[in-house]
Amino acid sequence: MEKARGVRRLAAVDVTARRLGLRVGQKATDAMALVPDLITAEAEPEADAAALDALVDWCVRFSPAVAADRPDGLMLDISGVSHLWGGEAQLMADFRARLLANGLPFRLALADTPGAAWALAHHGADGVIAPPGGQGELIAPLPPAALRLEPATADQIARLGLTRIGQLMELPRAPLAKRFGAPALERLDQALGRSREALSFRRPPSPWIARLAFAEPISTPDDLARVSQDVAALLCARLEREGKGARRFEIAFHRLDGKAMTLAIGLALAGRDPTRIAKLFQPRLETLDPGFGIEVVTLVADRVETTSARQVRLDSLAETAVEDGLAPLIDRLTNRLGEGRVWKSGPRESHVPEQSSAPGPALKAGTAQAWDPERPRPLRLFRRPELVDSVMAPVPDDPPVQFRWRNRLIRVRRAEGPERIAEEWWAGPIEATRTTHVRDYYRVEDEAGTRFWLFRAGLYETGVPAQWWLHGLFG
């Protein structure tokens, strides 16, 4: 029971109450008049939402793409997964049996479109399966409210004597939209499959899924490791047939109590080796609590991409692919230390030295172009430029002939420059641009052969002392 606009109404009713003539939205006083000994409880919308989210996670055993249809519904996209049960009817039968075992009231329907499935589940026969392209015939005798119309629109349609969706389908489209609004026409098109409907899935949908169900529950780490290998072999065989590989895999162990325990691993390069994938899962299997046992395991592949076939060994010449070298090591380190802790620095499109590199994937080159060989950069760039003093230069724009750094006087034997680098003035307000942000860089070499990269900050101005900074060392 809930309070809306100062009136207490029924928020939900069970099967017995429905048989006694009670309905959702009915005033509490009217309900008590019909059933004097009615037992009520306060509605808990937050708890209901949390329970629905838990049910969404539980449904991952049937499909990786599950969306909550609040406040009391679910949408499952079973495209490409029904064959794992032997067909749509078998999948629905398994789903029905598990819901009944948990004591949940429900109505099921299956159709090509979410709109048609919703209409059949709420206003049609329970358990109906619409044939491909046949949802229009099945929803035609249903009331217009089955299209999920606004209450005001549904009432207006009812006052005109239109009691079936089929009557709306027979009306010309332009008068229908003009009389009842574009949303009513859009709902009709969504139900018939003329326009697409976007669903908000709890997790990104992926058609790459494998599933294993067990006659008897399993619980030991050795069994979990074995089924991880088995389900990976199933999914990887399909990836190999399609010439695909994946960079991320998520395995879910579904317990008898309905809870799903998930583990995820990532690969530096797209792969499909089941043994390698299972080994990455294995160190973390001991952290799982199997409870009273695991009855189903599912494996989902994400970030799937096309991989080219490689011949890595000839009878007379052995050649090692990258995946057989660095990739397994990087995968182990990444999954043990965490994502983002194993990376490689690569070029970034910026002429400002401290912004011209950025961390990226360890085995993937950056999209930016490499540094210009005509303007080389040091292999070692200081975290912050270090101030140098005792700088002597013949004229202001000439390279220095000597400078002092870390209490060491350095005499310059060779020098190149200057290379003028200004700030990225387009990245901020134009009034914030300053000439003091201009740098003149020089590449200099001392008498011992050490090469330095230093710069003078700001443009030369008479009477203003120049400041020199050391920014890096060449190898």
Side-chain angles (χ1 to χ4, degrees), residues 296-473:
V296 176
V297 59
T298 58
L299 180 65
V300 178
D302 195 14
R303 298 173 60 189
V304 176
E305 58 190 57
T306 302
T307 57
S308 58
R310 303 178 313 278
Q311 182 175 358
V312 299
R313 183 181 179 87
L314 299 175
D315 292 340
S316 58
L317 177 63
E319 179 183 349
T320 302
V322 176
E323 288 81 350
D324 299 326
L326 286 178
L329 173 61
I330 291 174
D331 292 339
R332 290 195 299 271
L333 293 175
T334 301
N335 288 281
R336 183 178 295 271
L337 302 177
E339 295 184 6
R341 295 193 176 186
V342 181
W343 50 272
K344 178 182 70 174
S345 181
R348 180 177 176 269
E349 293 181 352
S350 176
H351 65 272
V352 178
E354 56 267 30
Q355 299 177 6
S356 60
S357 63
L363 289 182
K364 184 179 180 181
T367 56
Q369 296 182 355
W371 290 294
D372 185 356
E374 298 296 328
R375 295 180 295 176
R377 297 290 184 260
L379 293 178
R380 180 189 175 191
L381 205 64
F382 296 157
R383 185 180 297 273
R384 294 183 179 85
E386 298 184 9
L387 185 65
V388 297
D389 54 14
S390 302
V391 181
M392 294 181 59
V395 295
D397 287 335
D398 275 3
V401 295
Q402 75 172 31
F403 60 92
R404 185 179 298 276
W405 173 57
R406 295 182 179 178
N407 295 323
R408 172 189 167 196
L409 185 63
I410 298 172
R411 301 185 184 279
V412 177
R413 184 175 63 175
R414 296 186 179 90
E416 293 178 312
E419 176 189 348
R420 178 160 293 178
I421 297 178
E423 64 176 320
E424 295 180 343
W425 52 266
W426 58 88
I430 189 64
E431 58 271 11
T433 305
R434 298 288 185 270
T435 58
T436 55
H437 298 164
V438 177
R439 306 173 186 173
D440 285 340
Y441 278 86
Y442 297 88
R443 296 184 295 274
V444 302
E445 180 180 321
D446 67 1
E447 296 174 344
T450 305
R451 303 191 68 199
F452 305 87
W453 202 42
L454 48 81
F455 66 89
R456 185 186 69 240
L459 299 176
Y460 175 76
E461 298 180 24
T462 304
V464 178
Q467 279 195 325
W468 288 81
W469 304 81
L470 186 62
H471 205 167
L473 299 174

Side-chain angles (χ1 to χ4, degrees), residues 139-334:
I139 69 173
L142 302 181
L147 293 177
R148 298 172 293 169
L149 301 176
E150 294 293 333
T153 303
D155 294 342
Q156 182 184 7
I157 293 175
R159 286 195 299 268
L160 294 177
L162 301 174
T163 59
R164 296 180 293 106
I165 294 178
Q167 294 174 306
L168 296 178
M169 296 165 57
E170 295 172 357
L171 294 177
R173 293 178 59 84
L176 177 63
K178 184 177 181 181
R179 187 64 179 267
F180 305 114
L185 184 60
E186 182 182 13
R187 285 300 193 186
L188 179 61
D189 289 342
Q190 289 175 347
L192 297 176
R194 296 171 182 168
S195 63
R196 301 181 66 87
E197 178 179 356
L199 297 178
S200 179
F201 296 107
R202 185 167 173 84
R203 63 183 65 196
S206 173
W208 301 95
I209 180 174
R211 175 181 181 273
L212 283 178
F214 315 118
E216 296 291 337
I218 61 174
S219 58
T220 65
D222 291 341
D223 289 338
L224 297 183
R226 175 176 52 81
V227 299
S228 300
Q229 173 82 27
D230 294 341
V231 73
L234 287 176
L235 184 56
C236 290
R238 183 181 166 206
L239 289 170
E240 186 173 3
R241 288 194 302 269
E242 299 291 337
K244 304 287 186 179
R247 291 179 177 267
R248 189 176 187 275
F249 292 87
E250 181 176 301
I251 193 169
F253 296 94
H254 302 271
R255 303 193 320 193
L256 287 173
D257 59 2
K259 294 183 179 179
M261 301 173 295
T262 61
L263 296 174
I265 58 104
L267 303 182
L269 296 175
R272 53 175 182 254
D273 183 359
T275 302
R276 176 176 160 200
I277 294 169
K279 285 183 177 180
L280 292 175
F281 281 121
Q282 190 170 2
R284 301 165 63 185
L285 295 177
E286 296 181 355
T287 64
L288 301 178
D289 177 15
F292 293 104
I294 306 295
E295 58 178 345
V296 176
V297 59
T298 58
L299 180 65
V300 178
D302 195 14
R303 298 173 60 189
V304 176
E305 58 190 57
T306 302
T307 57
S308 58
R310 303 178 313 278
Q311 182 175 358
V312 299
R313 183 181 179 87
L314 299 175
D315 292 340
S316 58
L317 177 63
E319 179 183 349
T320 302
V322 176
E323 288 81 350
D324 299 326
L326 286 178
L329 173 61
I330 291 174
D331 292 339
R332 290 195 299 271
L333 293 175
T334 301

